[in-house]
Amino acid sequence: MEYRLLGRSGLKISTVTMGTMTFGGLGWAKAVGDLGVSEAKRLVDLCIDAGVNLLDTADVYSSGVSEEIIGEVLGGKRKDGVLLATKARFRMGDGPNDVGSSRQHLIAACEASLKRMKTDVIDLYQLHEWDGQTPLEETMEALDTLVRNGKVRYVGCSNFSAWHIMKALGVSERDKRQRFVSQQIHYTLEARDAEYELLPVSIDQGLGVLIWSPLAGGLLSGKHRRNQAAPEDSRQFAGWTEPPIRDENRLWNIVDTLVSIAESRGVSAAQVALAWLIGSKAVTSVIIGGRTEAQFKDNLAAADLKLTAEERKRLNEVSVPPLIYPYWHQFNEATDRFSEADMNRLGQE
């Protein structure tokens, strides 16, 4: 297992992170998984033994039950070197202040997460989504307070746009607050939208990048094929709609290429898809999830799979999205003055 620095921080995390949305199975999360304490413990131990040092969750996963299960699994004390990441912003109650990124909600949400996970500190506390109604000055001050009070060590964001990130970083610098060390985003061979802005801003501003749903909800696992019904144990069979598929033919062309490379290497298509991400310059870690030991073992093996330049080229070519404005103009007229962040756009590594 390789360990990479998380953004500009001195914290090193494994290139594979364990996701825990499959813990609990309440409400909308039931379509993803419904693992209990004993099943979760077996899988957590499996990941830790493989070298994974970061567990990622969120308060909204099964209405807090995912965090509670983590608290039970770790037994009120951390195993050596295990880091915890969680998120807050979504609604956790019926009150008017039980949602958002206000000081009121974030501090209350953090204290509730600490209690559920039976820990004194959260290593990475992430804003789960943008809140356009709370001033960023208030949000960043609240996160800064949590760090200074010893309840949180590092802060990050998730599902922000690039201008949201830059505005938050600007507020942090101006007011001398803790700045984001990372962002957690959706990015796969099927959905490469992040290459327009989010990956360049990460390189330029020194942010770590964690990838959620790196197999596109299982669509890139190799189990889903052209002109075949979704497997009964899949998220899509259960009605899961993320990510949205805008070009089905393109998706199956990507899957065909993944399967072809996988068969030539004697590995799974899922491992190839994950290895493509891990080998990307801007990516720090991919968050894997699952319901079975076999799924986790297969995904964990991707940490050691190195794709050749030719294999990466094939995957890039079959999946590259079109250049939108102003990027097509920049590629036509300004490549002589591109920065490293500019060159990362759309596979130009």
Side-chain angles (χ1 to χ4, degrees):
M1 183 68 67
E2 180 186 350
Y3 301 89
R4 296 174 179 170
L5 288 170
L6 186 61
R8 290 180 182 171
S9 78
L11 184 71
K12 286 193 172 184
I13 66 170
S14 47
T15 54
V16 176
T17 293
M18 183 181 188
T20 63
M21 194 161 61
T22 55
F23 295 3
L26 294 184
W28 58 265
K30 188 171 181 59
V32 181
D34 57 357
L35 301 179
V37 174
S38 60
E39 298 163 305
K41 185 179 188 307
R42 184 175 70 253
L43 296 175
V44 168
D45 288 342
L46 173 70
C47 288
I48 292 174
D49 289 344
V52 172
N53 74 341
L54 178 62
L55 273 61
D56 180 77
T57 187
D59 59 2
V60 76
Y61 294 169
S62 292
S63 301
V65 175
S66 174
E67 291 183 329
E68 290 176 358
I69 290 175
I70 288 174
E72 292 298 321
V73 166
L74 297 182
K77 57 183 180 180
R78 303 283 190 93
K79 295 188 176 184
D80 291 343
V82 176
L83 305 170
L84 290 180
T86 192
K87 301 179 282 292
R89 149 61 172 85
F90 289 118
R91 181 166 291 282
M92 289 297 289
D94 297 329
N97 293 308
D98 292 334
V99 64
S101 298
S102 67
R103 182 187 297 107
Q104 171 72 25
H105 180 64
L106 286 180
I107 291 178
C110 179
E111 291 172 346
S113 290
L114 289 167
K115 183 176 181 180
R116 283 191 290 264
M117 293 192 291
K118 299 181 179 179
T119 186
D120 295 326
V121 64
I122 294 165
D123 298 290
L124 176 61
Y125 199 51
Q126 303 156 105
L127 300 177
H128 206 163
E129 179 62 89
W130 172 250
D131 176 359
Q133 296 188 359
T134 302
L136 271 169
E137 288 80 2
E138 178 179 342
T139 298
M140 303 313 292
E141 186 273 337
L143 294 175
D144 190 79
T145 296
L146 290 171
V147 173
R148 296 185 186 282
N149 287 349
K151 296 179 180 180
V152 167
R153 291 201 171 113
Y154 299 94
V155 297
C157 63
S158 181
N159 304 311
F160 276 36
S161 68
W163 77 264
H164 294 153
I165 291 171
M166 288 304 300
K167 187 173 182 179
L169 293 177
V171 168
S172 296
E173 182 175 357
R174 184 196 66 200
D175 296 345
K176 295 182 172 52
R177 306 295 187 191
Q178 295 292 319
R179 79 191 302 268
F180 295 146
V181 298
S182 62
Q183 61 167 324
Q184 187 176 138
I185 63 173
H186 182 63
Y187 175 50
T188 71
L189 279 163
E190 191 283 323
R192 293 175 58 179
D193 309 351
E195 292 178 11
Y196 290 121
E197 291 280 350
L198 293 176
L199 295 187
V201 81
S202 292
I203 294 172
D204 185 71
Q205 295 297 312
L207 297 176
V209 176
L210 294 90
I211 308 300
W212 61 261
S213 197
L215 295 177
L219 290 172
L220 302 181
S221 67
K223 297 179 181 179
H224 298 264
R225 302 300 301 274
R226 194 189 306 265
N227 299 322
Q228 295 182 13
E232 292 190 11
D233 63 345
S234 70
R235 296 185 189 182
Q236 281 67 33
F237 185 86
W240 196 254
T241 58
E242 291 188 353
I245 305 303
R246 298 186 174 92
D247 186 340
E248 189 170 335
N249 186 59
R250 174 176 172 274
L251 166 65
W252 299 130
N253 288 340
I254 293 169
V255 172
D256 290 343
T257 305
L258 283 170
V259 171
S260 174
I261 293 173
E263 289 177 347
S264 69
R265 296 289 295 268
V267 299
S268 70
Q271 288 179 38
V272 175
L274 293 171
W276 180 82
L277 284 169
I278 293 171
S280 297
K281 184 178 297 184
V283 172
T284 311
S285 185
V286 296
I287 303 172
I288 63 169
R291 288 171 285 190
T292 69
E293 188 172 322
Q295 288 174 322
F296 273 99
K297 284 183 175 179
D298 184 76
N299 288 180
L300 287 165
D304 298 320
L305 179 62
K306 307 297 181 184
L307 298 179
T308 67
E310 178 59 27
E311 289 167 340
R312 292 192 65 84
K313 181 180 178 182
R314 287 177 62 190
L315 291 168
N316 283 336
E317 288 178 348
V318 76
S319 64
V320 65
L323 282 169
I324 60 175
Y325 180 80
Y327 309 118
W328 56 259
H329 196 278
Q330 292 174 0
F331 267 80
N332 286 341
E333 307 293 344
T335 55
D336 62 321
R337 302 286 288 182
F338 269 11
S339 68
E340 181 183 1
D342 294 315
M343 287 304 298
N344 188 257
R345 189 174 290 119
L346 302 184
Q348 304 295 314
E349 300 180 7

